[in-house]
Amino acid sequence: MNTLSDRRKHTRIELSSINSFYRQCDVAATSGGDIDITILNISRKGMKFKINSANDSGKIKLDDELFIRGCIFNDRIGFLSSQKAVTVWQDNTVFGVEFTPSLDLDEPSLFNMLK
């Protein structure tokens, strides 16, 4: 099954217009412990984020299971809390993850939450 093409069918919402402080989360990775991240874009199926400290880039590996917690995310505490994801790609300190399971929101609802 080609999950990469599956993921790309879903609209990504770019978050660059939201102050980076309001896009921060803590994640726990199976191979490296706790990491502070900033979300770059998001869809129902996954998200792209950067690690806030380059020293932490080795703490996440491909296919790692992540547990998202401690999100400030656009001043909506709790959004994405307890969400699980799997790392599907990496480019230096930028990562792409697929949510497991997908977010329980339709795309218009997700977009409205992020305004």
Side-chain angles (χ1 to χ4, degrees):
M1 180 165 91
N2 185 348
T3 56
L4 183 60
S5 64
D6 252 2
R7 178 180 61 85
R8 301 220 184 264
K9 291 178 185 174
H10 295 274
T11 304
R12 294 184 202 142
I13 301 168
E14 294 296 327
L15 303 177
S16 57
S17 64
I18 298 173
N19 182 303
S20 64
F21 177 79
Y22 293 110
R23 296 182 283 136
Q24 293 185 37
C25 291
D26 296 326
V27 297
T30 53
S31 67
D34 295 338
I35 301 124
D36 293 325
I37 66 162
T38 300
I39 301 169
L40 303 175
N41 70 34
I42 191 167
S43 76
R44 288 186 59 246
K45 289 292 224 177
M47 70 180 178
K48 175 180 167 182
F49 64 81
K50 68 176 182 169
I51 293 179
N52 293 346
S53 171
N55 294 335
D56 287 340
S57 63
K59 292 183 176 181
I60 299 178
K61 310 270 186 260
L62 288 180
D63 297 321
D64 261 2
E65 292 183 350
L66 303 179
F67 184 71
I68 303 164
R69 59 200 169 100
C71 287
I72 296 169
F73 202 72
N74 203 19
D75 215 15
R76 289 180 169 84
I77 304 296
F79 178 71
L80 292 179
S81 289
S82 303
Q83 180 66 43
K84 293 181 182 178
V86 174
T87 309
V88 293
W89 63 265
Q90 175 186 4
D91 184 10
N92 294 316
T93 59
V94 177
F95 292 80
V97 298
E98 180 179 357
F99 295 134
T100 55
S102 299
L103 295 179
D104 191 22
L105 295 167
D106 60 18
E107 289 176 9
S109 297
L110 181 60
F111 184 77
N112 286 333
M113 286 180 69
L114 304 174
K115 285 184 180 178

